[in-house]
Amino acid sequence: MSAYQVTQGQTFPLGPSIHPDGINFAVVSEDASQLYLCLFDEHNQELESIPFIAKHRGIWHMLVLGLKAGQRYGIRAEGPFEPEKQLVFNPAKLLIDPYAKALTDKLVWHPDQAAITEQGVIQAQDSAHCVPKCLAIEPKAQATRPARVNVASHERSLYELHVKGFTQQLDIDEQHKGKYLGVISRPAIAHLQSLNITTIQLMPCFTFMTERHLHQLDLNNYWGYNPINFFTPEPSYAENDAVVEFQAMIDGLREAGFEVILDVVYNHTAESELDQSCVSFRGLDNGRYYRHQAGQYLNYTGCGNCFDTFNPASIRLICDSMRYWVDVMGVDGFRFDLGVDLGRTDHDFSANAPLLQAILQDPILSQTCLVMEPWDIGPNGYQVGQFPKGFLECNDKYRDSVKRFWHGDSGMIAEFATRLLGSRDCFHKGHKSALNSVNYITYHDGFTLEDLVSYEARHNLANMEDNRDGHGDNISQNFGVEGETQDPEILALRLNQKICFLATLLLSQGTPHLLGGDELSHSQQGNNNAYCQDNDITWLNWSKASQSQILKDTISQLMALRKAYPILAEVHLEDDALFQHLPADQVTWLNENSDTMSHGDWHTPDRHFIALLLTTANLSSRLWLIFYNQAAPINLPFPSLSDQDQEVKAEVLFQSPNVQLTEKHVTCSGASVALVRL
């Protein structure tokens, strides 16, 4: 007989909720025949297994009297074991409550976690010894939390930051290295503020697990795109209390003037394939939480499973998770990994998918910054520009076109111009703003900016996959030497190329995204898929960034110009119905004679020059943007301004190293970018 008295309790809220006389537990499991609440002591010894006494609409619930906040617990589930029907209930497996807010430890893969063997029979080994215990806590937001930072859409700039990699080698107190609190250390904040950016995009902070194959190779999942719970912050980034320290990090970033969005993974979980870990969702309701067809898992994510975001329980779980991270943990928005999975119905993508609509109708979530990675590897998995207009979208067409232009590829002018002006082939006028396009050149996957100008091929042997992993077409160049060099001429060429990349990014219409560490010339030694490198390959090196001040100043200067001249981020055109009540700006494309581009100019395959004149509606600003990528010098005459009788005067607002201004010309020699006010 149980030492605890229980009552039916309540179905809401899901997860543990603290009451004056005990703790209420509510857990979703449609198909289980019985759930058990397993209580553990501080030594993780199982004390009791209490059967849930009530079930309503698929939710098991009860109030356990006498329990106190902080109680350690797990769930066990009984039910049919019929793998061919996606039913793998196995009471020998201890399960993490999907709504748990904290865990005792980090989850580490162990063979005893499997519910089913490779031969398809039940695996009877108890898994409690290798599964972290849930902590029954109910975190609240601090009453004295700093106010949110309101960022204007046209000023927003994203900076992608990995908590551990950003701080592991920073000159801060040892206990803060690699931790949430290290992100808000004085040197870290000073560095971030020096860049003049608005928004920190944190790489995944949901608690995650290293995959079985990496565990067997003695490698770690470093990026964190392998979650096991959608509410619990990653404990390895904490010194003591992950919940409190994550909240402190967000509050510190707010106080420093930053908006903060969190990279979230709702498309799959760390349970992977059916015969691997059974530690939460699989053991509670495998057939409902994961997508399957004809008795087989669907794997549109490439990670072993695919979370069924068309299932009502999953939709509720994800929206509850998002509200928790906003209301309680303090984030200002989300970047969604493999977002097409979130927009799938039974199997196909739809912009009207219930999860996407649930997010956009929510009075809290709809007001946050929402950034979508608009693809997965399933059928019709490439959906750039097809998400509802409430979502910003990562634009890989921008990345590839800009890289090809600066790589010197022929026939790129029309494509490059399209990307500069907001990728209107994807984000159509009258329907979406150019700001919906999240422009980037580097991301966590792929080459860093330093490697983009230092390597022509990937060098991923450290991943122990025989250099087969990672993208093979990097559109990169090394300027004569593969990898590191001390040749001053090559270093100068590489620096100039990095400045041209950054200037292009920050002078393009849309929302710019920067990869943290590019301003430090961080190299991953040519590794373009460093997801499993938790070491010097990925940790930012703050001591050898000889060019860092130049790159930091470049970013800061260009960010300031974007804020001073909003037309650089979003131009209001007469034929764009989104801006029909606003005075119209003007865009004029110019050739190397500063004349309007002709049909022939647009279709000259060996042209490596484009310029445009942006004119504000009130004529207060005329901005001449120049992009040139040839070795031979060129003198560009100032464009004529038909409404001005006086001689045109020019002020250079930004110039890359190969640009010079004379009385009547701008001279470019080699790869060049300039922004001139006329």
Side-chain angles (χ1 to χ4, degrees):
M1 178 175 290
S2 173
Y4 295 95
Q5 182 181 352
V6 299
T7 66
Q8 286 198 5
Q10 303 168 337
T11 61
F12 181 84
L14 292 173
S17 51
I18 312 303
H19 291 242
D21 50 354
I23 301 177
N24 189 84
F25 296 88
V27 181
V28 175
S29 182
E30 290 271 2
D31 297 327
S33 59
Q34 182 63 58
L35 292 191
Y36 296 88
L37 175 71
C38 303
L39 303 180
F40 292 82
D41 64 17
E42 64 274 17
H43 304 295
N44 290 326
Q45 296 298 310
E46 191 165 352
L47 302 174
E48 260 195 82
S49 180
I50 306 173
F52 279 75
I53 63 172
K55 182 181 182 183
H56 180 65
R57 296 180 179 175
I59 300 175
W60 297 80
H61 54 98
M62 66 180 175
L63 174 66
V64 183
L65 302 177
L67 291 183
K68 304 295 183 182
Q71 174 65 53
R72 300 182 178 209
Y73 75 100
I75 307 293
R76 297 185 190 270
E78 286 182 346
F81 185 84
E82 301 175 28
E84 69 280 1
K85 297 181 181 179
Q86 298 298 314
L87 300 171
V88 289
F89 291 102
N90 185 340
K93 305 305 163 184
L94 188 72
L95 306 174
I96 295 168
D97 181 353
Y99 277 77
K101 306 304 187 297
L103 301 177
T104 55
D105 304 288
K106 183 176 177 63
L107 180 67
V108 177
W109 179 84
H110 192 284
D112 289 350
Q113 293 165 358
I116 181 174
T117 68
E118 292 182 1
Q119 292 72 38
V121 299
I122 195 165
Q123 207 259 51
Q125 181 65 43
D126 193 286
S127 66
H129 69 96
C130 57
V131 176
K133 313 309 178 286
C134 307
L135 294 175
I137 63 172
E138 198 173 8
K140 305 293 183 184
Q142 298 295 325
T144 57
R145 168 165 287 167
R148 293 190 181 278
V149 178
N150 294 317
V151 176
S153 297
H154 69 273
E155 293 185 355
R156 180 173 284 119
S157 53
L158 308 175
Y159 179 91
E160 187 179 21
L161 182 156
H162 188 285
V163 168
K164 183 173 186 180
F166 185 75
T167 61
Q168 185 66 31
Q169 299 190 111
L170 190 60
D171 185 15
I172 55 177
D173 290 344
E174 193 65 32
Q175 69 268 25
H176 296 331
K177 292 179 181 290
K179 308 298 183 182
Y180 296 123
L181 297 183
V183 175
I184 56 173
S185 62
R186 185 175 297 178
I189 292 296
H191 177 77
L192 294 172
Q193 289 177 329
S194 74
L195 299 175
N196 212 3
I197 56 176
T198 68
T199 304
I200 308 300
Q201 179 179 302
L202 296 169
M203 287 182 68
C205 293
F206 291 177
T207 185
F208 60 90
M209 182 177 75
T210 289
E211 296 89 330
R212 176 177 64 181
H213 77 278
L214 291 180
H215 184 83
Q216 293 171 339
L217 293 171
D218 200 25
L219 296 171
N220 292 322
N221 184 310
Y222 168 73
W223 284 349
Y225 292 93
N226 204 38
I228 197 55
N229 182 278
F230 298 157
F231 291 87
T232 306
E234 169 57 29
S236 69
Y237 298 161
E239 298 166 34
N240 296 295
D241 188 322
V243 174
V244 170
E245 291 170 32
F246 184 94
Q247 289 177 319
M249 175 183 65
I250 299 300
D251 290 351
L253 289 169
R254 277 190 188 181
E255 287 180 345
F258 296 108
E259 177 184 57
V260 187
I261 68 173
L262 180 61
D263 197 337
V264 289
V265 182
Y266 291 122
N267 58 78
H268 77 279
T269 79
E271 289 184 307
S272 194
E273 288 90 352
L274 187 63
D275 64 347
Q276 294 196 29
S277 298
C278 177
V279 291
S280 185
F281 305 100
R282 176 171 292 142
L284 288 170
D285 244 340
N286 180 65
R288 298 180 186 271
Y289 278 121
Y290 295 114
R291 295 184 185 273
H292 55 90
Q293 190 174 40
Q296 299 295 319
Y297 265 17
L298 294 176
N299 186 15
Y300 299 156
T301 64
C303 299
N305 61 54
C306 207
F307 208 65
D308 189 357
T309 55
F310 191 51
N311 172 26
S314 298
I315 294 171
R316 179 180 181 180
L317 173 70
I318 291 170
C319 289
D320 285 349
S321 166
M322 291 175 65
R323 280 190 293 269
Y324 175 78
W325 287 95
V326 172
D327 288 342
V328 177
M329 304 302 277
V331 304
D332 302 299
F334 304 91
R335 182 266 187 188
F336 301 94
D337 176 65
L338 297 183
V340 166
D341 188 65
L342 279 63
R344 292 191 182 275
T345 52
D346 279 325
H347 300 300
D348 293 330
F349 173 83
S350 171
N352 295 319
L355 175 56
L356 301 183
Q357 296 304 312
I359 293 170
L360 293 180
Q361 67 79 38
D362 188 286
I364 296 172
L365 302 181
S366 62
Q367 301 307 303
T368 63
C369 176
L370 304 169
V371 178
M372 191 63 67
E373 184 180 49
W375 51 77
D376 65 14
I377 64 171
N380 299 315
Y382 189 75
Q383 296 291 337
V384 173
Q386 301 305 308
F387 280 80
K389 60 186 68 174
F391 293 93
L392 310 184
E393 301 180 42
C394 298
N395 186 356
D396 64 325
K397 291 185 176 182
Y398 178 92
R399 173 199 65 197
D400 292 349
S401 299
V402 170
K403 286 164 67 174
R404 290 192 186 283
F405 175 82
W406 292 112
H407 189 259
D409 294 8
S410 62
M412 286 302 302
I413 287 300
E415 174 81 7
F416 184 61
T418 298
R419 303 302 156 224
L420 290 175
L421 215 63
S423 296
R424 289 315 201 166
D425 56 338
C426 303
F427 306 95
H428 301 292
K429 291 179 183 177
H431 181 58
K432 293 181 179 178
S433 164
L435 298 172
N436 283 87
S437 175
V438 174
N439 301 328
Y440 66 98
I441 296 166
T442 55
Y443 230 98
H444 61 269
D445 51 348
F447 277 158
T448 66
L449 189 61
E450 177 68 16
D451 289 352
L452 188 61
V453 301
S454 303
Y455 293 89
E456 292 190 349
R458 64 190 175 199
H459 295 261
N460 296 359
L461 286 173
N463 297 354
M464 302 182 73
E465 296 182 40
D466 297 324
N467 209 38
R468 297 189 306 268
D469 63 305
H471 207 293
D473 183 17
N474 296 287
I475 321 174
S476 59
Q477 53 191 320
N478 63 22
F479 294 93
V481 174
E482 186 76 350
E484 289 190 18
T485 181
Q486 298 302 315
D487 186 312
E489 184 176 346
I490 293 176
L491 291 176
L493 289 170
R494 289 178 177 180
L495 175 60
N496 182 74
Q497 190 84 338
K498 288 186 287 185
I499 291 173
C500 287
F501 274 127
L502 291 171
T504 306
L505 175 65
L506 299 180
L507 295 175
S508 295
Q509 299 276 298
T511 302
H513 168 282
L514 291 164
L515 174 63
D518 279 351
E519 74 280 12
L520 302 174
S521 297
H522 175 66
S523 171
Q524 293 180 165
Q525 302 170 27
N527 192 321
N528 70 355
N529 187 35
Y531 76 106
C532 57
Q533 299 301 320
D534 188 1
N535 49 47
D536 287 346
I537 291 176
T538 51
W539 301 342
L540 301 191
N541 188 334
W542 297 83
S543 64
K544 64 177 287 190
S546 59
Q547 300 172 344
S548 65
Q549 195 58 51
I550 295 172
L551 295 176
K552 284 166 58 179
D553 290 346
T554 296
I555 293 170
S556 181
Q557 179 187 2
L558 289 163
M559 289 295 186
L561 288 169
R562 286 180 68 88
K563 294 174 184 177
Y565 299 97
I567 195 173
L568 291 172
E570 182 183 47
V571 63
H572 302 156
L573 297 179
E574 189 174 18
D575 62 347
D576 192 335
L578 281 181
F579 308 115
Q580 60 186 336
H581 300 299
L582 295 173
D585 305 320
Q586 295 181 15
V587 177
T588 306
W589 295 98
L590 304 173
N591 62 19
E592 57 268 35
N593 298 315
S594 295
D595 296 328
T596 302
M597 289 275 285
S598 67
H599 178 81
D601 289 334
W602 284 112
H603 293 86
T604 303
D606 60 350
R607 180 180 297 279
H608 298 280
F609 167 85
I610 191 71
L612 65 158
L613 187 64
L614 298 176
T615 306
T616 56
N618 60 5
L619 305 181
S620 63
S621 296
R622 286 188 176 88
L623 302 177
W624 183 26
L625 282 74
I626 300 165
F627 303 90
Y628 180 72
N629 188 27
Q630 281 186 306
I634 185 173
N635 293 320
L636 306 171
F638 296 168
S640 61
L641 305 178
S642 58
D643 62 322
Q644 290 187 1
D645 295 326
Q646 68 271 28
E647 186 175 345
V648 176
K649 295 183 179 179
E651 175 191 2
V652 175
L653 301 178
F654 175 83
Q655 61 191 94
S656 61
N658 292 338
V659 175
Q660 290 183 329
L661 177 67
T662 65
E663 289 187 3
K664 295 184 178 181
H665 294 86
V666 171
T667 300
C668 301
S669 55
S672 303
V673 178
L675 173 62
V676 181
R677 178 169 177 164
L678 300 174

